[in-house]
Amino acid sequence: MMGKLLTADFLKIKRKGLWLLTLIGPLGVVALQMVNYGVRKDYLLQQSEDDWGYFILNVHSFTPLALVLGIVILTSFMASIENETNAWKQLIALPVSKLIVYLSKFTLLAILLFLASTLLMLFTLSFGLFLKLGDTVPYMELAKFSYFPAFAALPILALQLWIASVSHNQGIPITVGIFGVIFAYSSYVLPDWMIWKWPSLMNHWNEPIINVLLGVGIGILLYVIGMIDFTRRDVK
């Protein structure tokens, strides 16, 4: 049943622009560096002896902001699609648990999130090769700065899906999301316990893996809380 629900959810977003958003997000992040290096490549190459490392950090500086903004838009769109077609009641009328319905939504969004991370890695690699930053490509660093922010952002995904799923007015999750984007933009001044700081991979210990572990752990916790709350509420 889970497979059928997930397939149905993919069909619902087929012509809703979510796939395009998944592409535009990572492409936009790398495009900013295309402009940056196109205007002042010589200057940027003088800033560090590790050209690849410095380039990856420049790309990563915009990744958390794009990631949080993308999550807000994706979750809001997902809930809006269900509201517009009155699909919540139709889904619950089927012989399927609300738990599975909620899991299907979260799984779909997680797939889109990690697809965007994969595209980010490919776009970053392609432009880095175009810039001829060196023969030794740091594939592990590329993977880390592409996928670690997505794992660290799982609590934000779980929180936004929870709010969007139970809100009658999509203005509420969008408002929360706007504050989240502002927090992500100001992540360097946030305390380590705020979930919007975690995609930046910054912390007091200078260990990005801590953000990843916190993201996965708290993300699962918020998902479970949101799922339980969703199952207890009346269908919209």
Side-chain angles (χ1 to χ4, degrees):
M1 182 58 72
M2 173 62 185
K4 293 181 179 179
L5 279 176
L6 194 56
T7 301
D9 283 335
F10 273 113
L11 290 174
K12 289 178 185 177
I13 68 170
K14 188 175 182 180
R15 292 183 177 86
K16 297 297 183 179
L18 270 69
W19 290 108
L20 182 61
L21 177 64
T22 304
L23 171 66
I24 289 176
L27 182 59
V29 169
V30 177
L32 288 172
Q33 294 310 313
M34 290 180 181
V35 175
N36 192 18
Y37 275 81
V39 172
R40 51 177 192 159
K41 178 181 178 181
D42 293 337
Y43 169 78
L44 292 171
L45 293 179
Q46 294 173 1
Q47 301 307 302
S48 173
E49 296 182 358
D50 182 7
D51 293 337
W52 268 107
Y54 189 72
F55 168 65
I56 292 172
L57 287 177
N58 274 320
V59 173
H60 175 68
S61 64
F62 292 97
T63 300
L65 186 63
L67 195 59
V68 174
L69 181 60
I71 287 173
V72 173
I73 297 174
L74 285 174
T75 51
S76 182
F77 271 24
M78 174 66 70
S80 295
I81 291 171
E82 302 296 344
N83 293 336
E84 289 172 2
T85 60
N86 199 27
W88 288 121
K89 290 184 178 180
Q90 296 176 19
L91 282 172
I92 303 306
L94 298 173
V96 59
S97 169
K98 282 186 177 181
L99 301 178
I100 301 300
V101 172
Y102 195 82
L103 175 61
S104 176
K105 306 300 180 188
F106 184 84
T107 302
L108 171 60
L109 292 169
I111 290 172
L112 293 177
L113 184 64
F114 286 101
L115 175 59
S117 298
T118 301
L119 291 173
L120 176 63
M121 182 173 66
L122 294 176
F123 292 150
T124 304
L125 174 62
S126 298
F127 188 56
L129 292 174
F130 174 79
L131 291 173
K132 298 179 181 179
L133 298 177
D135 296 330
T136 304
V137 180
Y139 291 104
M140 291 300 295
E141 288 295 299
L142 271 172
K144 182 176 78 172
F145 283 101
S146 297
Y147 289 104
F148 275 18
F151 282 109
L154 286 177
I156 302 172
L157 176 62
L159 178 63
Q160 288 292 150
L161 177 60
W162 177 14
I163 299 172
S165 298
V166 302
S167 297
H168 296 274
N169 181 358
Q170 284 306 301
I172 297 175
I174 291 175
T175 301
V176 174
I178 290 173
F179 280 105
V181 171
I182 295 172
F183 288 148
Y185 180 76
S186 309
S187 58
Y188 57 94
V189 298
L190 295 180
D192 289 343
W193 56 266
M194 292 192 71
I195 61 175
W196 294 277
K197 181 176 183 175
W198 298 348
S200 70
L201 304 182
M202 294 186 296
N203 57 55
H204 177 72
W205 304 274
N206 198 27
E207 292 289 345
I209 193 64
I210 294 178
N211 293 36
V212 174
L213 296 176
L214 285 171
V216 173
I218 302 301
I220 292 173
L221 177 62
L222 286 177
Y223 163 76
V224 171
I225 294 173
M227 178 184 63
I228 293 173
D229 185 46
F230 176 76
T231 58
R232 290 180 175 179
R233 288 176 180 261
D234 293 331
V235 179
K236 295 181 286 185

